Structures are given as structure tokens and as C-alpha cells.
Amino acid sequence: MKLPGQGDFESSDAHENAHSEEPDSGLGPGPGLNGPSGIDIGESQVSKDPLLFIQLNELLGWPQALEWRETGRWLLFEEKLDMGAGRWSAPHVPTLELPSLQKLRSLLAEGIVLLDCQAQSLLELVEQVVSGESLSPELRGQLQALLLQRPQHHIQTMGIRPCRESNAFRKASRDEDAPLKHQNPLRQKLPAGAEAAAVLAGELGFLEQPLGAFVRLRNPIVLEPLTEMILPSRFFCLLLGPPTLGRSYHEMGRAAAVLLSDPQFQWSVRRASHLPDLLAALDAFLQEVTALPPGRWDRTARIPPPKYLPSQHKRFPSKLQEVTSLSRQSAALAEDKHHHGPHTPIPELQRTGRLFGGLIQDVRRKACWYTSDFLDALHPQCFSAVFYIYLATVTNAITFGGLLGDATEGAQGVLESFLGTAVAGAAFCLMAGQPLTILSSTGPVLVFERLLFSFSRDYSLDYLPFRLWVGIWVAAFCLALVATEASLLVRYFTRFTEEGFCALISLIFIYDAMGKMLNLIRAYPIQRPGSSAYGCFCQYPGTGGNTSEWTSAKLKDTEDILSVPGLVNASFLPPPECIRQGGHPLGPSCHTVPDIAFFSLLLFFTSFLCAIALKHIKNSRFFPSVVRKVLGDFSSVLAILLGCGLDAFLGLATPKLLVPTEFKPTLSGRGWLVSPFGANPWWLSVAAALPALLLSILIFMDQQITAVILNRAEYRLQKGAGFHLDLFCVAVLMLFTSALGLPWYVSATVISLAHIDSLRRESKACIPGEAPNFLGIREQRLTGLVVFVLTGVSIFLAPVLKFVKRVQLLLMPRKHQPDMLLLRHVPLSRVHLFTAIQLACLGLLWVVKSTPAAIVFPLMLLGLVAIRKALEWVFSPQELLWLDELMPEEEETIPENRSEPEHLFSGNDSEDSELMYQPKAPEINISVN
């Protein structure tokens, strides 16, 4: 039987890997965050109910020696004491037997119910419980002595063996027990004001009739012997009876504890005034119980806690729903700002109607946060974020520097990449509207750089001067876009466009990496048995110019490695064959290092597989959570260090990236400032406007798509975005980098998302099994600024240096498909059609990029928005709501009352529709790898 309110989402232990911290006083949680008890924050503020710790003490040992022993405890989820292992189980969703709830209801209906009991001690409480007229004086005395007996607790301490209290400790003083109590790690996690509830259950041979009692204390008191932690107790439940078959009283005790851990039941019973109110709360719980058929599930299995808990507001009384409706509606509207297009644009995307009006508004909006952008960075989490992003940025600068050097044949290189990244990135962090953005070279811009260089080479143009004028025109076009508030168009960038753009970036990276390996194999062929490099014919030196004496390598009985079958002395290779095999003729001999490509491939796959394995460790069950997080976050860096370490340790002659040791441009003979014309004709400065127009579209798309992703509503950014200001900064930096011959920079999606992920603010999980609540992002400017300053310093250290899932559905039989929400509301054929259109668009982008018409592929990126607009003729608004997002014009077809999404759907879909609008922590789907 599944209990209400526990949720049925995908379980995950990823919350163990997140940063845990206490909520800040500066930026509180946004609407819709879940509180410790699983209730929305707005509801918990109305109810003012403290967290309740429930402990089950079971009477064991009948008929030999009776003793109370702690066997279970609850906060939000259940923890069972595994007697044999002597440890607490992992928190799990409790499951109950339906008869136990029915028997519990009957026992409470006929038993003792004391609401607002005024007992001041355990003794007074026990006396009131056993004062019933149906009990004889002798039986009262026996029960009173039994209930005052000290239970045996199981306290699992950190770094200390499990400590148990037994009856022998009954006479120990409170001072002697105090050190033991403070060693309980669970006590340190509970918030201030937490209360306790004790449930006592068991079988007694001298009882003829069941005895049930439920007590709610008016003023909570410390019933120290009953619970393992010194907490004021609010509830007391006693369930005793004669011996029966099975463990009926044990299950009734668990049922009572589960009831008290349920938010709705606890809210109701705290306000109950009579027995019927208590029974009504229990009946309400029974009405929401979901039964699991016998024989269809493993009764011994423990259901792990869900990753996200469903909203509890519908389960509460109508008055509470009315009070909290405003907070829920505000949460839904905040979530809808990005997911479904707002009816009223957010402030950053409101048109002013004035030239540079949006830019002026961004500056005014961000100016009031400028001081706090530095003060908010004074937190230990920012130091780890700096180290993490610095390594990612340096790795990215080296990688793009090497690719840029290959693409421009040495006109630009690693030094320009480091210098440009440092200067442009630091300036952007100081001036930008969204300082969490990390500027870097990107795949699409690298493709354009390669095309521009090829065009210059084919038409004998001076590349850097031509590139300077392209950059000047791009800066002018971008400034025009800022002046006309063109950034408002980002409202039309839905997930359809974002996914196509991100997929293109991924393919560019993969294609370039594989292309470099294939070029390496062509330059240094892998030696195989039977190839010309092995069983080859060797020309002995000194045989004359026109005559050649050839012989094949044969097996000889010698220890010389050169005589092993398949190997030949490379020094005997003739000069042409020596060069073809990657060697260097040295006089009459040939100097070669065999298998350069083979060892490079080994290092290539070793680094890749190591990075993937370390990334998966983050969500595994091995090692402590802190170790898993470090290995997962730094998986790429650790894999690169491993590959480079193996290469250096083994002394392999693999190709190395050459980093200049002097601070001067990579291209010899030029200064830092690029000449405006060089050898180019004057009219080329005007003709450069045409490729600049295409690059401007690419820059706008690349910059603003990343900005849209980073400023999603689910990240709960408090300081706002700055679309116009960010584009203005990129335009100014475009002039600077073009004049110095440095790479062009825009917002890098992957590293920026990694930066945001490293600055996640999450509440401290105080309940076992509860995932930390996402509070937002630590917004500041200092981490990015320090990262780029360190990147600049690294120049002088050179000498010592939901698209993938839908694609899977195409290849997955229907019975094996996951229970995705969109499959409940959109026919599978329509899902496949939408995915096929996306794949076709991606294929078209790739084909255009790989042909001579690649210069116009920025226009194809812009065409994604038009294609998405055309999909409104193919799919209904409801289908697009689940498959993608709605554009602003489509909003008019959706009812304005977002607090009642059920109007969009029919049947039993209201629960699923509510999940669409439920605020949740952001999911970053692009790996930093």
C-alpha cells in the first residue's frame, strides 16, 4: 500500500552531491520551495507547525523479560532498526498493511483520547493514561511500572561505536547521559523548535482486552526516557493488547507513527478538539491511500525517497488553501515566465520605445546591485567555484588556441587565446548585466573564423586586416541591435531553437576532435603486421644510386628485438620510405618513432573513458559524497592530467601543443596592433560589411541563446538579467579583440552553465532522505573576475604548463518506453514527428556548414526560429506546450488562470498538468565535458 503525499517521481541520491548550506538571510527562497516537512513554504508559514520527530518503542521479551526497545523512527520518511546489523536502515517511503490502519482506528475509537493534556512529567502522563475505570488497581500498578521503564535506544554516533542504553542505566544521572545524547548526529540536523512524538506498542500476556490511548499535550514536555533525543514531546500514543498471531501491534505502532509523519494528518490532529476530529483526520488519510496488489511487488523492498515531492496544498483544508493561494499563484507565474511565455513580459524584455532605452534600463537596474555583486562573493563556496571554472577555462583556452592555430595556419594561436580570454572575460565580468556568464571562443564562431581565413587565402587577401574590418562592422551592427532593442526577440527563442543550437555546438566539438585524430593517423600510419612498416623491404645503404638491393625481414634465433617477426630495423629504410613512415633521414640511416598514432589513440580513449567514469562516480554509491562530488566536478580536468601524466611518464613521442615562451604574437613579424589595410585594397573595408552581417547574426544568436538559457526562471536569479547590456559589452569587446588580432568572444554555454551549477545555493537537509531545497544561485561578479585574472597570469606560466531522450524513443519498443509526462498527453507518432523535424534541421545545419555555402549558415540558425513558428500549423498549442514551449502569440490560446491548469486537460490529467507548473530545481543537461 502506497501512502499519500510521498510522490512517485524518479528517485535519486544526487542531492548528496550538492552543496549543503543554511539559507542565506540576504536572498531567501523563492516561492514554491519545499519546507522540511514537504509542505510548501507558504503553507508552513501559515500553520507554524514545528518539525515532528516520531519514535516507535516496541515491547519485546514476553514472557521472559519485558523491555522497551526502539525499533523505528520517522521524520518525513521511515528508518527501521536492523537488529542483526545493529544499524539504522536508509530512509525510505513507508508501506503499511491496510488491516493495521483499520485496527488502529477501531482501537482509538474505543480507547482513551486526551487532547490538550496538562501533564507536566512522564509520571503524570502515565497516571492519566492508566486511570481508566476498566483497569483494576493491580493492573494499573503493573502498567505504570512498565510504562516508566527506561527503553533501550540505539544511537548511531559518528566515529564512535553504536551506543546502547539498557535497563542497567536506569539509575544513571542525567549528567552522565548528557555526553551520550549530544553525540547523536541526527539531533544536530533538526531545526530549532522541533518536537517529538512517542509511540509505544506491544503485547502483554496479562491483558485481556486491547488498550489504546492517544494524548496531545497542551504544552510539550521533555519525556527524556521515551525518545533517543532530548526534545519536548507533543504526542503520546499507547497500543497494547494480548498476544496475537503475527505482529499486529507492531504494525499498528508503525501505522500510528506514519500517520503522525503525514503533513495533513499532523496539521489536523494538532487542531482537533474532539475524538470525531481525530477519526475524521484518519479517515481522510485512508481516502488517499493507494493499495498495491499482493504478489505484484516485493514486500521486503524499501522504496527510496523520491527526488521531488508533490505539492501538498490540495490535501489541506479549504481555509488553508485560500490563505496560501496567492503564494502558489505567484510561484506558478514565476515558473511560467520562461516555460510558457509570460502574458506581461519580464522587465528586462519590455520595450521602451527609445533609442538605447533597453540599455539604459539595464544599467539602472544593475547599478543598485553592483556593490553586493562583490560582497556576496565572500563565501567559501565561491573559492571552490573559482578553482573549478579556472581549470575549465584554461582547458578551453588551450583547446581553442590549438584549433584556431590549425584553422588560421598560425595567424592566431594559444597565446592570443589566453590573452583574449583573460582581458575580454575580465572586462565583461566588470561591465556586463549578467556577470555569471563566461566569455570564451565557441564552436560556431570558430567555424566562421575558419571560413573567413579560407576565403582570404583563396583570394590572396591579408587575413588580419580583413578580419579587423569585419570586426568593426560587426561591432557597428551589434550596437544598432542594442539601440533598437532587438534583444526583445529572445522571447521567440524556445527550447526548439536552443536544442538545435546546443546540438550543433556538440557536433562541432566532436567533429573537430575526431578530425584531428584522423589527420594524425594519416600523418603517422598505425603499424600493423603485414604492412609496409613491418614485413617491408629495406634498402641497405651504400648500394649505389641506381641499383637497389631489397630483402625481407626474416626470423633469426637472436635476442635482438629487431629480429622479432614483423619488425625491421628502421635505420635501413630509404629516405622516401623513411619520410613516409614519419621518420627523419639522418645521413645514411633513418630515425623513426613507431606507432605515434596508436599511442595517441590510446591516450585519446583513456582520457575520454576516464572522464566518463569519473563523471558517473558522482551519482554512484562508492566513496563519501564529498569525494564523489570532487571527482565528478573535476572529471574532465583529472582525465586530461592523467593522459598528460602517462604521456610524460612513458616518454611517448606524441604531438604536443606548442605554447610560446615569449609574450609576443604567434605570427612572426607582426605587432600587437593590426594594420587597417595591410596589402588589401581600400574597398575591402566596405566589402567586409557583407560577411560582417552574417557574423552579426551568428554573434546575436550565440550570445542571446546562451543568455536565455542562463536566465531561466527556474534558476531563481534575484538580480535580473541584462540582455541589452550584455550585447553592448560584446560589441565593444569585438572592436578591442579585432584591433589586437585576438579571437572573438561570446557567451560560452557549457562553461557558463558549469559556473552557475558550481554556485547553487541549497538548504541544509535536516531530514534523513530529504533532498536539499534549491534556493537559487549565488549571484556575484568576483568568481568570474578572479578566473580570468588567473587565466591572464597563466600566460606567464607557459614554460611550466529533452532532446536525447526523445531520440531514444525512436529506437525503443513501446513497452520499454519510460513513463514520460509528454507521452501521457501527446501521441507517440506526434512525438516522433517533432523529433524528426529537429533532426532534419540539425542535419541541414551540418550539411550547410560542411559545404562551400557555409558562409550563410548563420542565416540557417536564425531560420530555426522561423521553422519553430511554422510548427504552429502542424502541432496544436497543447502539443507544443508539452513538446516545447509556447511563443508569446500562442499564449492567447491558453486560459489566463494559471492556478487552474486543469482546464487545459481532461480526465485524470489534472495531476500531471500541475506537475508542469510546479517549481523545481533547474536541470543542466549540457555536460561540461
Side-chain angles (χ1 to χ4, degrees):
M1 180 184 68
K2 192 181 74 172
L3 305 182
Q6 299 292 347
D8 52 359
F9 298 95
E10 176 186 2
S11 63
S12 173
D13 62 347
H15 60 271
E16 297 178 2
N17 307 316
H19 294 289
S20 294
E21 59 175 70
E22 293 292 343
D24 291 349
S25 59
L27 299 175
L33 290 173
N34 289 339
S37 60
I39 309 173
D40 289 352
I41 290 294
E43 296 160 359
S44 64
Q45 290 176 346
V46 173
S47 61
K48 302 293 183 182
D49 291 340
L51 182 66
L52 192 64
F53 169 77
I54 305 106
Q55 176 174 321
L56 172 62
N57 295 334
E58 192 171 354
L59 186 61
L60 303 174
W62 176 266
Q64 288 81 13
L66 293 175
E67 65 172 358
W68 294 101
R69 177 175 294 182
E70 179 185 13
T71 59
R73 62 187 186 187
W74 288 256
L75 282 167
L76 182 59
F77 301 99
E78 179 180 15
E79 292 179 87
K80 291 181 179 179
L81 178 61
D82 296 327
M83 298 280 190
R87 66 179 184 182
W88 288 105
S89 70
H92 55 276
V93 178
T95 55
L96 298 175
E97 297 177 359
L98 192 58
S100 65
L101 286 168
Q102 297 170 342
K103 293 179 182 179
L104 175 63
R105 188 189 189 285
S106 301
L107 191 57
L108 293 180
E110 299 175 358
I112 301 171
V113 175
L114 302 177
L115 302 177
D116 292 335
C117 176
Q118 300 185 12
Q120 298 297 321
S121 65
L122 178 60
L123 179 59
E124 293 183 20
L125 175 62
V126 171
E127 288 177 350
Q128 295 188 36
V129 168
V130 300
S131 62
E133 298 180 356
S134 61
L135 300 177
S136 63
E138 180 182 0
L139 188 56
R140 293 177 189 172
Q142 290 178 315
L143 288 176
Q144 183 172 338
L146 182 63
L147 294 177
L148 292 176
Q149 182 177 329
R150 191 182 189 92
Q152 178 176 330
H153 301 300
H154 182 91
I155 301 178
Q156 182 72 46
T157 59
M158 293 182 294
I160 305 175
R161 290 184 304 172
C163 301
R164 291 185 175 87
E165 299 180 78
S166 62
N167 296 336
F169 297 150
R170 289 184 60 184
K171 295 182 180 181
S173 65
R174 178 174 298 184
D175 293 338
E176 294 173 347
D177 291 337
L180 178 65
K181 296 290 185 181
H182 290 302
Q183 292 173 355
N184 193 334
L186 183 60
R187 179 66 183 91
Q188 308 301 323
K189 296 182 179 180
L190 297 182
E195 297 178 349
V199 179
L200 281 65
E203 299 177 350
L204 278 176
F206 55 78
L207 282 180
E208 297 180 355
Q209 297 293 333
L211 174 62
F214 184 87
V215 179
R216 186 188 69 203
L217 295 166
R218 172 174 293 183
N219 300 314
I221 59 174
V222 177
L223 306 177
E224 181 183 352
L226 292 186
T227 58
E228 65 175 84
M229 290 183 293
I230 303 177
L231 290 172
S233 296
R234 174 69 70 175
F235 298 100
F236 175 85
C237 184
L238 178 65
L239 305 169
L240 296 175
T244 59
L245 295 177
R247 306 180 65 190
S248 59
Y249 283 92
H250 167 76
E251 290 299 326
M252 278 194 289
R254 290 186 61 249
V258 171
L259 280 171
L260 288 172
S261 68
D262 179 68
Q264 180 190 6
F265 181 85
Q266 186 185 140
W267 188 92
S268 301
V269 78
R270 284 179 181 272
R271 291 152 182 80
S273 56
H274 304 286
L275 174 61
D277 298 335
L278 176 64
L279 298 179
L282 199 156
D283 292 338
F285 180 88
L286 286 172
Q287 289 178 0
E288 297 188 61
V289 163
T290 302
L292 296 175
R296 296 295 184 270
W297 67 295
D298 186 4
R299 297 172 60 90
T300 63
R302 293 171 178 172
I303 305 175
K307 187 175 183 180
Y308 300 110
L309 291 177
S311 176
Q312 301 278 338
H313 72 269
K314 285 190 175 182
R315 303 184 58 226
F316 280 76
S318 57
K319 288 185 178 180
L320 183 61
Q321 292 188 41
E322 294 173 2
V323 174
T324 59
S325 61
L326 291 178
S327 62
R328 295 197 308 272
Q329 292 177 6
S330 62
L333 290 176
E335 184 74 2
D336 292 341
K337 281 184 180 180
H338 179 83
H339 281 293
H340 312 294
H343 292 284
T344 302
I346 60 177
E348 294 87 346
L349 297 178
Q350 289 183 349
R351 182 177 295 279
T352 64
R354 304 189 305 271
L355 284 178
F356 294 101
L359 175 63
I360 296 173
Q361 292 293 339
D362 283 351
V363 172
R364 291 175 178 174
R365 187 182 305 110
K366 303 301 293 188
C368 61
W369 296 103
Y370 201 78
T371 302
S372 67
D373 283 343
F374 293 93
L375 297 179
D376 292 344
L378 303 179
H379 190 276
Q381 183 182 1
C382 294
F383 292 98
S384 60
V386 166
F387 181 62
Y388 175 36
I389 301 302
Y390 166 70
L391 293 177
T393 303
V394 168
T395 304
N396 194 67
I398 293 175
T399 302
F400 272 101
L403 294 175
L404 196 60
D406 294 340
T408 61
E409 297 181 0
Q412 295 169 298
V414 175
L415 184 64
E416 285 83 358
S417 180
F418 266 86
L419 180 60
T421 299
V423 177
F428 188 86
C429 287
L430 287 174
M431 300 185 303
Q434 181 49 270
L436 296 175
T437 302
I438 300 294
L439 284 195
S440 176
S441 299
T442 63
V445 175
L446 176 64
V447 170
F448 194 92
E449 292 255 28
R450 183 184 293 119
L451 295 173
L452 194 64
F453 178 82
S454 299
F455 178 83
S456 302
R457 182 190 55 197
D458 295 342
Y459 291 92
S460 302
L461 301 177
D462 200 346
Y463 170 64
L464 289 179
F466 180 43
R467 181 180 181 274
L468 169 61
W469 283 106
V470 172
I472 292 175
W473 279 107
V474 169
F477 289 145
C478 288
L479 289 176
L481 293 175
V482 174
T484 56
E485 300 180 301
S487 295
L488 301 180
L489 296 175
V490 302
R491 290 184 294 169
Y492 294 88
F493 292 173
T494 66
R495 291 188 185 273
F496 179 88
T497 306
E498 295 168 14
E499 289 175 354
F501 181 77
C502 293
L504 178 63
I505 293 177
S506 302
L507 286 179
I508 290 175
F509 280 128
I510 296 173
Y511 177 82
D512 286 342
M514 299 304 297
K516 288 184 72 69
M517 293 307 302
L518 292 177
N519 291 336
L520 190 64
I521 294 175
R522 284 193 291 266
Y524 305 98
I526 297 178
Q527 300 178 8
R528 300 182 303 273
S531 67
S532 60
Y534 282 97
C536 65
F537 297 96
C538 303
Q539 180 183 18
Y540 291 94
T543 58
N546 297 325
T547 60
S548 299
E549 180 179 355
W550 298 91
T551 183
S552 61
K554 298 181 180 180
L555 179 63
K556 299 180 180 180
D557 188 13
T558 176
E559 295 181 357
D560 190 349
I561 191 173
L562 298 179
S563 300
V564 175
L567 293 181
V568 67
N569 193 335
S571 63
F572 293 142
L573 293 176
E577 182 70 13
C578 176
I579 295 175
R580 197 182 72 82
Q581 296 297 331
H584 303 282
L586 297 176
S589 63
C590 176
H591 175 69
T592 62
V593 179
D595 288 338
I596 291 178
F598 178 72
F599 286 122
S600 298
L601 281 175
L602 284 181
L603 292 176
F604 177 84
F605 287 109
T606 298
S607 302
F608 173 74
L609 295 177
C610 179
I612 295 298
L614 292 176
K615 198 72 177 178
H616 288 167
I617 285 180
K618 187 173 183 179
N619 295 326
S620 69
R621 298 184 180 273
F622 300 102
F623 309 113
S625 59
V626 176
V627 177
R628 296 202 309 268
K629 177 172 176 56
V630 171
L631 294 177
D633 288 345
F634 298 98
S635 58
S636 300
V637 177
L638 293 175
I640 292 174
L641 292 178
L642 174 64
C644 295
L646 286 175
D647 183 277
F649 178 76
L650 298 176
L652 302 178
T654 54
K656 306 295 190 299
L657 181 65
L658 298 179
V659 181
T661 58
E662 299 179 1
F663 186 73
K664 64 178 182 180
T666 303
L667 183 63
S668 60
R670 85 167 182 95
W672 279 112
L673 287 177
V674 177
S675 173
F677 295 100
N680 297 331
W682 66 267
W683 54 264
L684 194 63
S685 60
V686 179
L690 181 58
L693 179 62
L694 299 176
L695 180 58
S696 300
I697 297 174
L698 178 60
I699 293 290
F700 181 83
M701 295 287 293
D702 204 346
Q703 170 66 33
Q704 300 296 44
I705 287 179
T706 302
V708 168
I709 295 174
L710 297 184
N711 290 283
R712 287 188 180 278
E714 59 258 37
Y715 291 122
R716 300 193 177 104
L717 300 179
Q718 303 292 325
K719 300 182 180 180
F723 296 100
H724 310 282
L725 181 55
D726 289 348
L727 187 59
F728 175 81
C729 293
V730 170
V732 174
L733 292 173
M734 182 69 64
L735 282 175
F736 174 79
T737 54
S738 299
L740 295 181
L742 303 178
W744 289 321
Y745 294 98
V746 292
S747 298
T749 307
V750 177
I751 303 181
S752 299
L753 286 174
H755 188 205
I756 282 186
D757 190 40
S758 66
L759 295 171
R760 291 167 57 95
R761 296 170 50 248
E762 295 183 339
S763 63
K764 187 176 181 179
C766 60
I767 299 178
E770 180 196 28
N773 298 319
F774 176 71
L775 303 179
I777 305 297
R778 196 172 300 282
E779 302 174 64
Q780 37 71 47
R781 296 179 183 269
L782 199 56
T783 54
L785 181 62
V786 174
V787 163
F788 290 114
V789 170
L790 292 176
T791 304
V793 173
S794 301
I795 297 176
F796 304 98
L797 301 179
V800 295
L801 279 183
K802 208 174 236 193
F803 174 53
V804 175
K805 291 184 178 180
R806 282 191 271 110
V807 173
Q808 292 174 347
L809 290 176
L810 294 172
L811 307 176
M812 193 178 298
R814 183 181 297 270
K815 66 178 181 179
H816 295 305
Q817 292 171 357
D819 187 19
M820 301 170 64
L821 285 178
L822 67 91
L823 293 181
R824 301 182 184 180
H825 304 279
V826 182
L828 185 61
S829 59
R830 306 290 286 174
V831 176
H832 288 340
L833 176 61
F834 187 85
T835 306
I837 294 174
Q838 278 193 298
L839 292 175
C841 292
L842 178 60
L844 181 61
L845 284 174
W846 186 260
V847 169
V848 172
K849 188 199 77 68
S850 304
T851 62
I855 195 71
V856 301
F857 96 99
L859 293 176
M860 302 301 297
L861 282 176
L862 191 61
L864 289 178
V865 179
I867 294 175
R868 168 59 182 82
K869 186 67 177 176
L871 290 181
E872 298 174 13
W873 297 89
V874 181
F875 298 92
S876 67
Q878 284 75 16
E879 290 175 333
L880 291 175
L881 186 65
W882 289 99
L883 290 169
D884 185 35
E885 299 167 8
L886 296 184
M887 286 188 168
E889 290 80 0
E890 296 174 87
E891 283 284 317
E892 300 176 358
T893 63
I894 303 299
E896 294 188 3
N897 188 1
R898 293 304 182 119
S899 62
E900 298 180 359
E902 295 85 357
H903 295 293
L904 286 174
F905 312 98
S906 60
N908 297 324
D909 296 344
S910 60
E911 180 180 354
D912 294 342
S913 62
E914 180 187 356
L915 297 179
M916 286 197 64
Y917 302 102
Q918 182 180 346
K920 52 185 177 293
E923 297 180 359
I924 298 178
N925 297 320
I926 304 177
S927 172
V928 74
N929 294 328

